[in-house]
Amino acid sequence: SAVISQKPSRDICQRGTSLTIQCQVDSQVTMMFWYRQQPGQSLTLIATANQGSEATYESGFVIDKFPISRPNLTFSTLTVSNMSPEDSSIYLCSGSTGADTQYFGPGTRLTVL
Amino acid sequence: AQSVAQPEDQVNVAEGNPLTVKCTYSVSGNPYLFWYVQYPNRGLQFLLKYITGDNLVKGSYGFEAEFNKSQTSFHLKKPSALVSDSALYFCAVRGLGSSASKIIFGSGTRLSIRP
């Protein structure tokens, strides 16, 4: 299994600012993903983070709003840009190897005022 | 298109009784199925998975799930519930083809175990 950590664990931000969330995996994983989750709700996939190339975004999510980096097989960042209160959510990082299990980080709880 | 459904938003069980959390899926071909649990203010924890082989899969914390191809179901079960099992449970299916790398999650079922 993979152990995934995220920083920060939570943050309170002002409208119009940006926040970068870091995701670190303790072993190399083939795939990394970023999800958004409202408390008590299901997960919505934002994008697949591709190593060395642009991320693949799901419908409704764009690179200008959620730029993603993945410089190597164990690290990725998600930036939430020009934040509004609607961006308040839990952001989860996930990693997997091939078709096997996806493991999740503890999440970053973001509140935008 | 692949999809997974959890028909119950909430399941309430008395401690010591058996529990079942229901999940049905729709996918072309052989499914990869997963159960995850999320405790309050925590990330998702992997419980168990079905890829191939025995229809009854055993996982963490005494949970098991039964794959039923004819009913396209993958219900989560535990013979004797604990109060500490109270959490949010997600069933998931891996996509196929161009979506093979992505997991599709159900809406979640909140399990409440009363003492």
Side-chain angles (χ1 to χ4, degrees):
Chain A
S1 66
V3 177
I4 300 178
S5 59
Q6 288 183 233
K7 289 194 296 186
S9 59
R10 59 177 61 226
D11 207 341
I12 301 172
C13 300
Q14 295 297 320
R15 181 195 300 261
T17 63
S18 297
L19 175 73
T20 295
I21 303 168
Q22 298 181 7
C23 176
Q24 180 74 55
V25 190
D26 70 342
S27 58
Q28 292 185 348
V29 290
T30 307
M31 312 293 293
M32 292 185 75
F33 306 89
W34 287 98
Y35 290 83
R36 186 167 70 182
Q37 182 189 27
Q38 296 296 328
Q41 303 298 314
S42 190
L43 281 72
T44 300
L45 180 62
I46 297 172
T48 301
N50 300 310
Q51 193 229 341
S53 64
E54 190 173 291
T56 304
Y57 290 85
E58 297 299 305
S59 176
F61 298 96
V62 296
I63 187 171
D64 290 345
K65 176 67 175 178
F66 297 101
I68 288 170
S69 77
R70 189 179 173 195
N72 56 52
L73 291 176
T74 63
F75 185 78
S76 178
T77 67
L78 168 74
T79 299
V80 186
S81 303
N82 188 25
M83 288 184 286
S84 66
E86 291 71 35
D87 295 320
S88 297
S89 191
I90 300 167
Y91 292 85
L92 292 156
C93 173
S94 173
S96 72
T97 302
D100 212 325
T101 308
Q102 272 185 236
Y103 294 95
F104 286 82
T108 296
R109 183 179 291 267
L110 171 62
T111 301
V112 184
L113 303 178
Chain B
Q2 292 77 237
S3 66
V4 59
Q6 294 180 244
E8 302 157 315
D9 291 336
Q10 174 124 5
V11 171
N12 300 309
V13 177
E15 186 176 28
N17 283 1
L19 69 86
T20 298
V21 183
K22 295 180 181 177
C23 172
T24 59
Y25 65 90
S26 175
V27 64
S28 301
N30 296 321
Y32 288 13
L33 296 159
F34 305 83
W35 274 102
Y36 288 83
V37 59
Q38 186 176 35
Y39 297 100
N41 301 312
R42 305 286 289 275
L44 271 70
Q45 293 182 32
F46 168 72
L47 273 180
L48 52 80
K49 65 182 177 184
Y50 172 82
I51 304 296
T52 186
D54 290 341
N55 290 342
L56 185 64
V57 179
K58 294 187 183 297
S60 306
Y61 311 121
F63 283 94
E64 58 188 29
E66 185 169 12
F67 171 65
N68 188 317
K69 188 172 183 177
S70 63
Q71 297 185 5
T72 62
S73 67
F74 189 57
H75 301 332
L76 182 70
K77 300 181 180 182
K78 187 173 183 180
S80 179
L82 301 172
V83 173
S84 58
D85 292 330
S86 298
L88 187 57
Y89 289 80
F90 291 100
C91 183
V93 61
R94 182 170 291 283
L96 297 175
S98 61
S99 301
S101 62
K102 295 185 290 190
I103 282 185
I104 300 164
F105 285 89
S107 56
T109 298
R110 186 166 299 281
L111 178 64
S112 178
I113 310 299
R114 60 185 183 273

